[in-house]
Amino acid sequence: MSSQMQFNGQAGTGGSKGPVNQMSYLCASCSKSNEIKPKEPIRCHDCGHRILYKKRTPRMVQFEAR
């Protein structure tokens, strides 16, 4: 049974897909950071507001203008 455990701690349902991807979002109402999984409803964990903003990437993005 332990050979079927995945990274998220649940029993495997066939094949290992690696860790669960969580995205970090900011609530528009209370400005708290929220970690949301792909199948989880889009809702702030603290206040219940449904407008969330995606955090900006930490890597530098540079474009070449003409």
Side-chain angles (χ1 to χ4, degrees), residues 13 16 20 23 27 29 32 36 45 59-60 65:
T13 56
S16 62
V20 175
M23 293 298 297
C27 178
S29 179
K32 298 279 183 165
I36 297 182
H45 297 297
R59 108 187 124 135
M60 188 175 86

Side-chain angles (χ1 to χ4, degrees), residues 17-35:
K17 295 185 180 183
V20 175
N21 294 335
Q22 288 186 350
M23 293 298 297
S24 186
Y25 293 93
L26 292 174
C27 178
S29 179
C30 66
S31 301
K32 298 279 183 165
S33 180
N34 292 294
E35 296 282 330

